Amino acid sequence: MDINLRFLNKLSQWFNTLRAPKASLKTESDDAQNGLISLLTIANQYQGQATPKNLDSTVSSMPVFTEQGFIGRSSQIAQLTDVINLWRNHHGEISAIVAPSGAGLSTLLGQLPSLVQSNSVEPENPESTAKPLPKNGLIMSFYLAPLTASDAIANVCYCFGIKPPTTLTDTSITDIIFAINQLPAQLIVIDDLHKLMLRMMGNAQALVTFATIVMETRKHHCWILGCEKFAWQRLSAQYQITQFIKHVITVDYFSAKELASIQTKQLVNLGLISKDDTQVAPPAEHRLAKTSSKNSHTAHETDEAMNPFDDQLKQLHTISQGHPTLAILLLQYSFQQQTNTESSNGDSSTHCICKINSSALQLCQDNDLFSLAEIYVHGGLRVAQHAHIFAQTIEQSSLQLAYLARQGLIIAQYSQQDFAQHFYFITPALSKIIASHLVNNNKLFN
């Protein structure tokens, strides 16, 4: 008889929890009173702000942003400008921007059209043969990984608005490449390259087909690919992708100064400081308590010269490790918890940014961590895909993924037709914390 001891163990834990007296159960308010926030609370905070996506969508067009309010990334912008100018001068090669999850890669890519227009150098010689800036630009992400050459061709054809062939022949790829190279030059940005990679039969050939088309059109069209850091390392090891990518630009999480600049806007929105970022906005009971200064007699002068929440912003960077989404949630949650405490107790004592209680991660077994690693690298998995990768039944995968979702480690998007098509992805605000834990436990390799 095949007895799943691990499942029985989890069932026993759930039953014991259900029977436990309510007073003995650890609650969100217990964490808050101790200056902590659990991973599940962070996940719930994020889900309250998230917008649902269409599970059946294969391709998603990404938003284009303006430069207003854009923080940092000057080095990466300079490198991207060089890439564009090289392409315009007939030295076009495939480029990639690599960043850890949640570091703002999609936002940077969304800035690309406006950044290109404002930073690219026009040729001084009016008779120059340099290509003009592309009038057409497209930023998109493929949510469903191709598992056949036909799927890969269809995805690329979608980029250019051309109809893919109904059946593949010996000349199909050649014909598609020729047709694409006859179109007006375009800037094509593919975000979430890691979502194209799936460890299932047929995906390797699909990636080769996709790469071939991109390689053979790179001189005419400007291709820029965005990829998650750890997925890039896997692509490099398994598919030697670095042999085909000429320019690799790296992005990391925000520095303390950059994160403070981002959060200053959040402080204004919360009413904690005025728009000039130097004055504390009334009323006093609605502000996050400032850390006391040893030089209190110079407090007025200090307030005139610097953000009055400088100490809290430094704490915020240390706790969030530069992750912008997590920092926003921590700031909002810490403010909310202090306001609730002051309202109930009349206590206006100093409070700091809540620290993170990551005990749920510590309780994960190896199978859970391996699942989290695969979900992280792929940008999300469906139940059926998880079952295929781990050679499990659909039911086993469904139970395991549901368990991780209850801990707040992953978020579910449910299919109305088939539970095997439920889609699970790492809680974006927790991506840095989960990735660090996986690296430390040898499930992701840095």
Side-chain angles (χ1 to χ4, degrees), residues 144-175:
L144 298 181
L147 295 178
T148 65
S150 297
D151 292 342
I153 291 174
N155 283 351
V156 177
C157 287
Y158 184 91
C159 294
F160 297 94
I162 60 179
K163 186 177 180 180
T166 54
T167 58
L168 282 186
T169 66
D170 294 339
T171 63
S172 291
I173 296 179
T174 302
D175 294 340

mmCIF file of all heavy atoms in Angstrom, residues 144-175:
data_model
loop_
_atom_site.group_PDB
_atom_site.id
_atom_site.type_symbol
_atom_site.label_atom_id
_atom_site.label_comp_id
_atom_site.label_asym_id
_atom_site.label_seq_id
_atom_site.Cartn_x
_atom_site.Cartn_y
_atom_site.Cartn_z
ATOM 1 N N LEU A 144 1.881 32.052 -21.883
ATOM 2 C CA LEU A 144 1.836 30.601 -22.066
ATOM 3 C C LEU A 144 3.080 30.169 -22.823
ATOM 4 O O LEU A 144 3.309 30.600 -23.953
ATOM 5 C CB LEU A 144 0.576 30.189 -22.837
ATOM 6 C CG LEU A 144 -0.759 30.503 -22.165
ATOM 7 C CD1 LEU A 144 -1.917 30.014 -23.038
ATOM 8 C CD2 LEU A 144 -0.834 29.880 -20.789
ATOM 9 N N ALA A 145 3.887 29.313 -22.209
ATOM 10 C CA ALA A 145 5.125 28.863 -22.845
ATOM 11 C C ALA A 145 4.810 28.011 -24.067
ATOM 12 O O ALA A 145 3.942 27.135 -24.014
ATOM 13 C CB ALA A 145 5.961 28.066 -21.849
ATOM 14 N N PRO A 146 5.509 28.226 -25.190
ATOM 15 C CA PRO A 146 5.295 27.394 -26.378
ATOM 16 C C PRO A 146 5.868 25.998 -26.169
ATOM 17 O O PRO A 146 6.935 25.836 -25.590
ATOM 18 C CB PRO A 146 6.058 28.144 -27.477
ATOM 19 C CG PRO A 146 7.133 28.893 -26.753
ATOM 20 C CD PRO A 146 6.538 29.264 -25.424
ATOM 21 N N LEU A 147 5.149 24.993 -26.647
ATOM 22 C CA LEU A 147 5.605 23.608 -26.508
ATOM 23 C C LEU A 147 5.836 22.951 -27.869
ATOM 24 O O LEU A 147 6.162 21.771 -27.944
ATOM 25 C CB LEU A 147 4.592 22.788 -25.699
ATOM 26 C CG LEU A 147 4.436 23.219 -24.230
ATOM 27 C CD1 LEU A 147 3.377 22.365 -23.548
ATOM 28 C CD2 LEU A 147 5.746 23.125 -23.483
ATOM 29 N N THR A 148 5.665 23.733 -28.931
ATOM 30 C CA THR A 148 5.955 23.246 -30.286
ATOM 31 C C THR A 148 6.551 24.388 -31.096
ATOM 32 O O THR A 148 6.430 25.563 -30.719
ATOM 33 C CB THR A 148 4.683 22.749 -31.005
ATOM 34 O OG1 THR A 148 3.808 23.865 -31.212
ATOM 35 C CG2 THR A 148 3.968 21.674 -30.192
ATOM 36 N N ALA A 149 7.161 24.037 -32.220
ATOM 37 C CA ALA A 149 7.683 25.064 -33.122
ATOM 38 C C ALA A 149 6.546 25.941 -33.646
ATOM 39 O O ALA A 149 6.717 27.162 -33.812
ATOM 40 C CB ALA A 149 8.428 24.403 -34.279
ATOM 41 N N SER A 150 5.390 25.340 -33.868
ATOM 42 C CA SER A 150 4.228 26.111 -34.348
ATOM 43 C C SER A 150 3.823 27.178 -33.338
ATOM 44 O O SER A 150 3.491 28.310 -33.706
ATOM 45 C CB SER A 150 3.043 25.179 -34.634
ATOM 46 O OG SER A 150 3.353 24.274 -35.676
ATOM 47 N N ASP A 151 3.832 26.812 -32.047
ATOM 48 C CA ASP A 151 3.501 27.781 -31.000
ATOM 49 C C ASP A 151 4.492 28.945 -31.007
ATOM 50 O O ASP A 151 4.102 30.114 -30.871
ATOM 51 C CB ASP A 151 3.522 27.103 -29.622
ATOM 52 C CG ASP A 151 2.399 26.103 -29.436
ATOM 53 O OD1 ASP A 151 1.420 26.167 -30.209
ATOM 54 O OD2 ASP A 151 2.503 25.261 -28.529
ATOM 55 N N ALA A 152 5.781 28.627 -31.132
ATOM 56 C CA ALA A 152 6.808 29.670 -31.126
ATOM 57 C C ALA A 152 6.639 30.609 -32.313
ATOM 58 O O ALA A 152 6.739 31.834 -32.177
ATOM 59 C CB ALA A 152 8.198 29.042 -31.137
ATOM 60 N N ILE A 153 6.371 30.048 -33.492
ATOM 61 C CA ILE A 153 6.163 30.868 -34.693
ATOM 62 C C ILE A 153 4.946 31.766 -34.519
ATOM 63 O O ILE A 153 4.966 32.954 -34.876
ATOM 64 C CB ILE A 153 6.025 29.971 -35.934
ATOM 65 C CG1 ILE A 153 7.372 29.313 -36.252
ATOM 66 C CG2 ILE A 153 5.522 30.771 -37.124
ATOM 67 C CD1 ILE A 153 7.304 28.301 -37.381
ATOM 68 N N ALA A 154 3.875 31.209 -33.952
ATOM 69 C CA ALA A 154 2.653 31.994 -33.751
ATOM 70 C C ALA A 154 2.914 33.180 -32.825
ATOM 71 O O ALA A 154 2.405 34.291 -33.049
ATOM 72 C CB ALA A 154 1.550 31.103 -33.184
ATOM 73 N N ASN A 155 3.706 32.963 -31.758
ATOM 74 C CA ASN A 155 4.020 34.051 -30.831
ATOM 75 C C ASN A 155 4.790 35.168 -31.525
ATOM 76 O O ASN A 155 4.502 36.356 -31.330
ATOM 77 C CB ASN A 155 4.829 33.514 -29.653
ATOM 78 C CG ASN A 155 3.979 32.771 -28.646
ATOM 79 O OD1 ASN A 155 2.758 32.785 -28.729
ATOM 80 N ND2 ASN A 155 4.618 32.111 -27.695
ATOM 81 N N VAL A 156 5.791 34.789 -32.313
ATOM 82 C CA VAL A 156 6.593 35.802 -32.999
ATOM 83 C C VAL A 156 5.750 36.536 -34.044
ATOM 84 O O VAL A 156 5.849 37.764 -34.189
ATOM 85 C CB VAL A 156 7.838 35.168 -33.656
ATOM 86 C CG1 VAL A 156 8.621 36.220 -34.432
ATOM 87 C CG2 VAL A 156 8.736 34.528 -32.599
ATOM 88 N N CYS A 157 4.916 35.804 -34.769
ATOM 89 C CA CYS A 157 4.047 36.437 -35.756
ATOM 90 C C CYS A 157 3.120 37.463 -35.104
ATOM 91 O O CYS A 157 2.818 38.509 -35.692
ATOM 92 C CB CYS A 157 3.227 35.380 -36.502
ATOM 93 S SG CYS A 157 4.177 34.403 -37.688
ATOM 94 N N TYR A 158 2.683 37.162 -33.890
ATOM 95 C CA TYR A 158 1.802 38.091 -33.178
ATOM 96 C C TYR A 158 2.502 39.430 -32.958
ATOM 97 O O TYR A 158 1.863 40.487 -33.003
ATOM 98 C CB TYR A 158 1.382 37.481 -31.838
ATOM 99 C CG TYR A 158 0.403 38.342 -31.076
ATOM 100 C CD1 TYR A 158 -0.971 38.166 -31.242
ATOM 101 C CD2 TYR A 158 0.832 39.334 -30.203
ATOM 102 C CE1 TYR A 158 -1.876 38.951 -30.555
ATOM 103 C CE2 TYR A 158 -0.069 40.128 -29.515
ATOM 104 C CZ TYR A 158 -1.419 39.937 -29.692
ATOM 105 O OH TYR A 158 -2.315 40.727 -29.022
ATOM 106 N N CYS A 159 3.817 39.397 -32.725
ATOM 107 C CA CYS A 159 4.574 40.636 -32.496
ATOM 108 C C CYS A 159 4.441 41.586 -33.681
ATOM 109 O O CYS A 159 4.459 42.812 -33.506
ATOM 110 C CB CYS A 159 6.052 40.326 -32.270
ATOM 111 S SG CYS A 159 6.427 39.395 -30.767
ATOM 112 N N PHE A 160 4.338 41.035 -34.872
ATOM 113 C CA PHE A 160 4.356 41.852 -36.084
ATOM 114 C C PHE A 160 2.997 41.922 -36.766
ATOM 115 O O PHE A 160 2.869 42.509 -37.852
ATOM 116 C CB PHE A 160 5.394 41.298 -37.063
ATOM 117 C CG PHE A 160 6.796 41.354 -36.532
ATOM 118 C CD1 PHE A 160 7.355 40.255 -35.885
ATOM 119 C CD2 PHE A 160 7.562 42.515 -36.652
ATOM 120 C CE1 PHE A 160 8.647 40.299 -35.376
ATOM 121 C CE2 PHE A 160 8.848 42.569 -36.142
ATOM 122 C CZ PHE A 160 9.394 41.468 -35.499
ATOM 123 N N GLY A 161 1.997 41.328 -36.149
ATOM 124 C CA GLY A 161 0.657 41.398 -36.710
ATOM 125 C C GLY A 161 0.491 40.664 -38.008
ATOM 126 O O GLY A 161 -0.314 41.057 -38.870
ATOM 127 N N ILE A 162 1.253 39.574 -38.180
ATOM 128 C CA ILE A 162 1.119 38.774 -39.401
ATOM 129 C C ILE A 162 0.522 37.415 -39.050
ATOM 130 O O ILE A 162 0.666 36.934 -37.928
ATOM 131 C CB ILE A 162 2.462 38.605 -40.138
ATOM 132 C CG1 ILE A 162 3.488 37.893 -39.242
ATOM 133 C CG2 ILE A 162 2.996 39.956 -40.578
ATOM 134 C CD1 ILE A 162 4.834 37.677 -39.927
ATOM 135 N N LYS A 163 -0.123 36.817 -40.025
ATOM 136 C CA LYS A 163 -0.804 35.550 -39.804
ATOM 137 C C LYS A 163 0.190 34.392 -39.861
ATOM 138 O O LYS A 163 0.926 34.253 -40.842
ATOM 139 C CB LYS A 163 -1.900 35.357 -40.850
ATOM 140 C CG LYS A 163 -2.767 34.132 -40.615
ATOM 141 C CD LYS A 163 -3.879 34.046 -41.649
ATOM 142 C CE LYS A 163 -4.746 32.823 -41.419
ATOM 143 N NZ LYS A 163 -5.841 32.735 -42.433
ATOM 144 N N PRO A 164 0.243 33.548 -38.831
ATOM 145 C CA PRO A 164 1.166 32.403 -38.868
ATOM 146 C C PRO A 164 0.674 31.350 -39.836
ATOM 147 O O PRO A 164 -0.523 31.269 -40.145
ATOM 148 C CB PRO A 164 1.128 31.885 -37.425
ATOM 149 C CG PRO A 164 -0.207 32.299 -36.904
ATOM 150 C CD PRO A 164 -0.517 33.615 -37.570
ATOM 151 N N PRO A 165 1.565 30.516 -40.341
ATOM 152 C CA PRO A 165 1.146 29.445 -41.268
ATOM 153 C C PRO A 165 0.270 28.425 -40.549
ATOM 154 O O PRO A 165 0.469 28.134 -39.369
ATOM 155 C CB PRO A 165 2.479 28.833 -41.708
ATOM 156 C CG PRO A 165 3.454 29.166 -40.620
ATOM 157 C CD PRO A 165 3.025 30.500 -40.094
ATOM 158 N N THR A 166 -0.710 27.913 -41.276
ATOM 159 C CA THR A 166 -1.617 26.922 -40.677
ATOM 160 C C THR A 166 -0.928 25.582 -40.462
ATOM 161 O O THR A 166 -1.228 24.863 -39.507
ATOM 162 C CB THR A 166 -2.849 26.726 -41.578
ATOM 163 O OG1 THR A 166 -2.405 26.405 -42.906
ATOM 164 C CG2 THR A 166 -3.686 28.006 -41.615
ATOM 165 N N THR A 167 -0.012 25.234 -41.337
ATOM 166 C CA THR A 167 0.763 23.997 -41.188
ATOM 167 C C THR A 167 2.231 24.300 -41.442
ATOM 168 O O THR A 167 2.577 25.180 -42.238
ATOM 169 C CB THR A 167 0.290 22.918 -42.181
ATOM 170 O OG1 THR A 167 0.415 23.424 -43.510
ATOM 171 C CG2 THR A 167 -1.151 22.521 -41.887
ATOM 172 N N LEU A 168 3.092 23.546 -40.767
ATOM 173 C CA LEU A 168 4.523 23.746 -40.920
ATOM 174 C C LEU A 168 5.058 22.944 -42.102
ATOM 175 O O LEU A 168 4.697 21.779 -42.286
ATOM 176 C CB LEU A 168 5.262 23.320 -39.651
ATOM 177 C CG LEU A 168 5.229 24.279 -38.463
ATOM 178 C CD1 LEU A 168 6.125 23.753 -37.349
ATOM 179 C CD2 LEU A 168 5.683 25.672 -38.859
ATOM 180 N N THR A 169 5.915 23.594 -42.876
ATOM 181 C CA THR A 169 6.615 22.913 -43.959
ATOM 182 C C THR A 169 8.116 23.107 -43.759
ATOM 183 O O THR A 169 8.549 23.771 -42.815
ATOM 184 C CB THR A 169 6.200 23.489 -45.327
ATOM 185 O OG1 THR A 169 6.654 24.857 -45.410
ATOM 186 C CG2 THR A 169 4.688 23.452 -45.493
ATOM 187 N N ASP A 170 8.905 22.548 -44.654
ATOM 188 C CA ASP A 170 10.355 22.666 -44.531
ATOM 189 C C ASP A 170 10.836 24.110 -44.665
ATOM 190 O O ASP A 170 11.923 24.464 -44.185
ATOM 191 C CB ASP A 170 11.049 21.807 -45.599
ATOM 192 C CG ASP A 170 10.823 20.320 -45.381
ATOM 193 O OD1 ASP A 170 10.492 19.956 -44.235
ATOM 194 O OD2 ASP A 170 10.973 19.541 -46.341
ATOM 195 N N THR A 171 10.036 24.958 -45.286
ATOM 196 C CA THR A 171 10.450 26.349 -45.518
ATOM 197 C C THR A 171 9.692 27.354 -44.643
ATOM 198 O O THR A 171 9.847 28.561 -44.841
ATOM 199 C CB THR A 171 10.242 26.715 -46.994
ATOM 200 O OG1 THR A 171 8.845 26.635 -47.317
ATOM 201 C CG2 THR A 171 11.032 25.787 -47.913
ATOM 202 N N SER A 172 8.880 26.862 -43.718
ATOM 203 C CA SER A 172 8.037 27.774 -42.926
ATOM 204 C C SER A 172 8.854 28.816 -42.177
ATOM 205 O O SER A 172 8.556 30.023 -42.218
ATOM 206 C CB SER A 172 7.181 26.977 -41.942
ATOM 207 O OG SER A 172 6.202 26.227 -42.608
ATOM 208 N N ILE A 173 9.901 28.370 -41.469
ATOM 209 C CA ILE A 173 10.702 29.310 -40.680
ATOM 210 C C ILE A 173 11.406 30.305 -41.600
ATOM 211 O O ILE A 173 11.440 31.518 -41.331
ATOM 212 C CB ILE A 173 11.719 28.551 -39.810
ATOM 213 C CG1 ILE A 173 10.986 27.689 -38.779
ATOM 214 C CG2 ILE A 173 12.668 29.522 -39.113
ATOM 215 C CD1 ILE A 173 11.904 26.873 -37.890
ATOM 216 N N THR A 174 11.949 29.826 -42.708
ATOM 217 C CA THR A 174 12.613 30.711 -43.670
ATOM 218 C C THR A 174 11.636 31.741 -44.215
ATOM 219 O O THR A 174 11.971 32.933 -44.339
ATOM 220 C CB THR A 174 13.199 29.884 -44.823
ATOM 221 O OG1 THR A 174 14.109 28.922 -44.303
ATOM 222 C CG2 THR A 174 13.921 30.782 -45.816
ATOM 223 N N ASP A 175 10.419 31.310 -44.537
ATOM 224 C CA ASP A 175 9.407 32.221 -45.079
ATOM 225 C C ASP A 175 9.016 33.289 -44.050
ATOM 226 O O ASP A 175 8.844 34.469 -44.395
ATOM 227 C CB ASP A 175 8.158 31.440 -45.505
ATOM 228 C CG ASP A 175 8.444 30.502 -46.678
ATOM 229 O OD1 ASP A 175 9.460 30.723 -47.378
ATOM 230 O OD2 ASP A 175 7.668 29.550 -46.865
#
